Amino acid sequence: MESIDAVGPAPELVSDVFARACTSRAAFEDVTSRWSSLVLLALAEGPHRFGELRRRVEGVSERMLAQSLRGLERDGLVSRADAGTIPPRVDYELTGLGARVAEGLRGLADVLESAVPEIDRARLDYDAR
Amino acid sequence: MESIDAVGPAPELVSDVFARACTSRAAFEDVTSRWSSLVLLALAEGPHRFGELRRRVEGVSERMLAQSLRGLERDGLVSRADAGTIPPRVDYELTGLGARVAEGLRGLADVLESAVPEIDRARLDYDAR
DNA sequence: CGGTATCCACCAAGATACTG
DNA sequence: CAGTATCTTGGTGGATACCG
């Protein structure tokens, strides 16, 4: 008889963003959460210090930035380097995984940025109904 | 003298997701909002009826699904086709722009789904500190 | 079936103040 | 500079009930 689930490389199909209990769903929600996505986008341009990120991501509060950074660090997307000096200096940068995620986010942002006129028109049409 | 801003295609650089007031930032937040992203992902697999979407996107309530669909329709990412029959039948599908956005989202989901072991390990490490 | 209306709980998130 | 602590509030979103 033929062997069932015999050889072949790793399944890969065990993860599913649609599944509530899957880690990928949680990570997906982290990554797409309001401030984390913009933080990843900012870090895609290179390492940033806390204050630099705060200025780059318009509108984020210190609290939310710190919280977002903790979450991204926990998921292994961002690494934190504390110089241990006074005054303090902490640099944040993307990990390899973080860079791959940020790349996807960048693609998304590019599509949206170039579609602004189209979106504005669609909204006008919709709101006029 | 050389002409400044003479020829070349459209600037394209006027839009910026980092800018609070930019349409692209708003659209980016819509697209990455909790349920809308999963709805787009589901619709990337083909047109769905309301109930099908509700089952496909685990955990979404009727209220949130309806609300997400309105938002996506308003941004011109999803089109709604009401058959006008009784019992009602309404089909949702991606527009051209919606398809491009969903493609980006799919890439993101793929990265995350394949990185589940890596993320799980990172979380374990982080929580153990 | 495909929604809308209403009520309510929680927490995301802003403001402010303070510290190593 | 890089955060944490505390307080407060508005909005997100769940549950339920109802309608065409």
Side-chain angles (χ1 to χ4, degrees):
Chain A
M1 90 194 230
E2 303 225 63
S3 63
I4 310 256
D5 65 27
V7 282
E12 297 286 0
L13 299 176
V14 284
S15 304
D16 178 14
V17 276
F18 288 109
R20 258 192 294 193
C22 185
T23 293
S24 65
R25 163 88 168 250
F28 187 76
E29 289 184 358
D30 286 348
V31 160
T32 58
S33 72
R34 184 163 187 196
W35 299 113
S36 295
S37 52
L38 292 174
V39 168
L40 287 171
L41 241 26
L43 290 177
E45 298 168 349
H48 284 66
R49 297 178 61 175
F50 189 87
E52 291 171 345
L53 283 173
R54 184 139 163 52
R55 282 184 295 277
R56 183 76 180 112
V57 180
E58 272 186 39
V60 70
S61 65
E62 291 185 357
R63 177 181 152 78
M64 283 301 100
L65 178 55
Q67 193 170 301
S68 299
L69 285 168
R70 298 299 157 262
L72 294 173
E73 199 191 346
R74 191 173 102 98
D75 286 345
L77 304 179
V78 165
S79 67
R80 190 187 117 106
D82 187 337
T85 57
I86 290 184
R89 176 188 178 103
V90 181
D91 283 89
Y92 293 94
E93 67 178 323
L94 296 179
T95 61
L97 176 56
R100 282 184 284 139
V101 169
E103 203 175 336
L105 247 17
R106 229 314 129 199
L108 213 52
D110 287 342
V111 170
L112 260 11
E113 285 177 350
S114 66
V116 162
E118 195 172 346
I119 296 170
D120 280 338
R121 193 159 1 92
R123 287 186 175 180
L124 245 36
D125 287 353
Y126 186 91
D127 294 342
R129 293 188 317 155
Chain B
M1 96 194 223
E2 303 225 62
S3 63
I4 309 254
D5 65 27
V7 283
E12 296 287 1
L13 300 178
V14 283
S15 304
D16 178 15
V17 277
F18 288 109
R20 257 192 294 192
C22 184
T23 293
S24 66
R25 163 88 169 250
F28 187 77
E29 290 183 357
D30 286 348
V31 159
T32 58
S33 73
R34 185 163 188 196
W35 300 112
S36 295
S37 53
L38 292 174
V39 169
L40 287 171
L41 241 26
L43 289 177
E45 298 169 350
H48 284 67
R49 297 179 62 176
F50 189 87
E52 291 171 346
L53 283 173
R54 183 141 164 52
R55 283 185 294 277
R56 183 75 179 114
V57 180
E58 271 186 39
V60 71
S61 66
E62 291 185 357
R63 177 180 150 80
M64 283 302 102
L65 178 55
Q67 194 169 300
S68 300
L69 285 168
R70 297 300 157 263
L72 294 173
E73 200 191 345
R74 191 173 103 97
D75 285 346
L77 304 179
V78 165
S79 66
R80 189 187 119 105
D82 187 337
T85 57
I86 290 183
R89 178 189 176 101
V90 181
D91 283 87
Y92 293 93
E93 66 178 324
L94 296 179
T95 61
L97 177 56
R100 282 185 283 140
V101 170
E103 204 174 336
L105 248 17
R106 228 314 128 199
L108 213 52
D110 287 341
V111 169
L112 261 11
E113 285 177 349
S114 66
V116 162
E118 195 173 346
I119 295 170
D120 280 338
R121 192 158 4 90
R123 287 186 175 180
L124 245 36
D125 287 354
Y126 186 91
D127 294 342
R129 294 187 319 154

